[in-house]
Amino acid sequence: MRTIQSVAEMKAVCREITRGGNTLGFVPTMGALHEGHLSLVRASKAQCRATAVSIFVNPLQFGPTEDLDKYPRMMERDSKLLEELNVDVLFAPTVGEMYPPGATTYVEVADLSGKLDGSSRPGHFRGVATVVAKLFETVRPDRAFFGQKDAAQVAVLRRMVCDLDMDVEIVVCPIVREKDGLAMSSRNAYLNAEQRQQALVLSRALMRVSHEVDLGERDPRRLVEIGTCVIAEEPAARLDYFEIVDPASLQPLSEISRGALVAVAAFIGNARLIDNILLAPR
Ligand code: PAF
């Protein structure tokens, strides 16, 4: 595996890979890799001739009071994991390399960027869209792999790729969960043993909503109420949002349909956790 820090060198290496007609898969990450990330790498390896992964904790997508400084950084361990999966190229630029002094250009996906996580994390999706657009231009992958756990991010990036006529296919891979249902996340590292148990309330609320849909409930407002009540039963959880939306427009639904996105975000201690399911009413 080649590890590259410079944009110019990454461009040269990726162009060389694709010039010979090889398909290039790309998995952008912020590191602290877990099974969820590794499943994206495996999907890329299965679908593409070569795979590039980036590790970059992007300051632009963190708010001033968020966890940028605390965000887990474990480059040596991550690099070993990627090496074991036979990743071809690891791109690990510095902040100065990605955002040289004087950079003033941003990518703003209007409307969608203010929904779900975007409504409680102003500027977050502007940071995500800007860095992913830059990474796409550097790597120019055929396919880019993202996790369904970041459902709003997926909606924003699909919109960006469509609006800017980018030649990349977005591939979305299923959420990877711990045995007890907790969605894997780098931020789970912030939880102590007690909070780790309390965090299960997110997946429990989603499962409850799914169960109610199986029993015939079709009123999104009632389902949101039910999910919100489950979260309220865990006093350690502070709800950010519980919504049922269309997965592309992120607009609240007035009627439950196949593929409706049930999304939740809640704080457990200082950790802001997100989770979601796609409904499949019978
Ligand atoms: O999902 C993430 O880890 C980040 O938002 C991404 C896509 C790597 C951009 O920094």
Side-chain angles (χ1 to χ4, degrees):
M1 182 177 78
R2 267 176 93 163
T3 301
I4 295 173
Q5 286 197 314
S6 104
V7 170
E9 191 185 349
M10 186 66 184
K11 278 188 177 179
V13 167
C14 291
R15 297 302 176 274
E16 198 171 314
I17 291 173
T18 46
R19 202 173 302 129
N22 293 314
T23 49
L24 178 57
F26 177 46
V27 183
T29 82
M30 298 206 298
L33 302 179
H34 51 69
E35 230 358 88
H37 298 113
L38 302 185
S39 76
L40 304 180
V41 174
R42 287 193 197 97
S44 173
K45 296 284 301 174
Q47 294 183 33
C48 304
R49 191 68 74 78
T51 291
V53 175
S54 64
I55 295 183
F56 178 63
V57 182
N58 174 32
L60 220 57
Q61 67 188 75
F62 289 80
T65 60
E66 292 185 345
D67 55 343
L68 173 62
D69 294 338
K70 253 182 39 191
Y71 200 85
R73 288 158 172 91
M74 34 187 78
M75 187 56 85
E76 224 172 277
R77 167 194 164 277
D78 288 350
S79 173
K80 229 183 244 160
L81 287 170
L82 297 174
E83 187 106 53
E84 278 164 21
L85 288 181
N86 290 320
V87 164
D88 300 270
V89 194
L90 168 58
F91 182 45
T94 60
V95 173
E97 179 71 11
M98 284 305 279
Y99 302 116
T104 54
T105 303
Y106 301 95
V107 177
E108 180 94 45
V109 180
D111 185 44
L112 280 179
S113 289
K115 298 196 155 48
L116 295 186
D117 308 281
S119 83
S120 43
R121 301 184 70 189
H124 170 66
F125 285 128
R126 178 167 99 144
V128 171
T130 301
V131 80
V132 172
K134 283 170 70 70
L135 290 166
F136 280 179
E137 177 52 25
T138 299
V139 178
R140 295 216 192 135
D142 297 285
R143 296 193 182 116
F145 296 78
F146 295 89
Q148 169 63 25
K149 186 169 80 67
D150 298 303
Q153 170 169 283
V154 166
V156 168
L157 294 178
R158 278 196 196 284
R159 188 76 253 164
M160 176 187 81
V161 162
C162 176
D163 289 353
L164 297 182
D165 306 312
M166 290 175 164
D167 269 334
V168 54
E169 182 189 341
I170 301 276
V171 182
V172 181
C173 298
I175 296 177
V176 179
R177 297 181 181 280
E178 305 280 359
K179 278 201 184 77
D180 58 9
L182 183 68
M184 289 202 186
S185 163
S186 304
R187 289 190 166 94
N188 291 349
Y190 299 152
L191 303 170
N192 63 30
E194 192 186 356
Q195 291 168 332
R196 169 71 185 66
Q197 280 309 109
Q198 294 162 343
L200 291 174
V201 72
L202 276 81
S203 52
R204 199 159 60 239
L206 294 171
M207 289 308 114
R208 176 70 195 281
V209 166
S210 168
H211 181 64
E212 294 296 330
V213 172
D214 285 347
L215 293 179
E217 182 59 67
R218 291 289 185 273
D219 178 359
R221 271 181 315 183
R222 178 75 198 117
L223 291 165
V224 166
E225 247 170 52
I226 291 168
T228 305
C229 281
V230 175
I231 300 284
E233 281 161 19
E234 173 50 73
R238 183 160 57 83
L239 185 64
D240 182 351
Y241 64 73
F242 197 104
E243 292 192 41
I244 302 183
V245 298
D246 175 87
S249 69
L250 305 182
Q251 290 283 9
L253 289 171
S254 54
E255 220 172 82
I256 294 299
S257 55
R258 200 176 177 79
L261 173 71
V262 188
V264 59
F267 286 89
I268 305 287
N270 290 325
R272 183 178 179 282
L273 304 178
I274 59 174
D275 199 353
N276 68 78
I277 52 168
L278 293 168
L279 290 177
R282 292 175 196 143

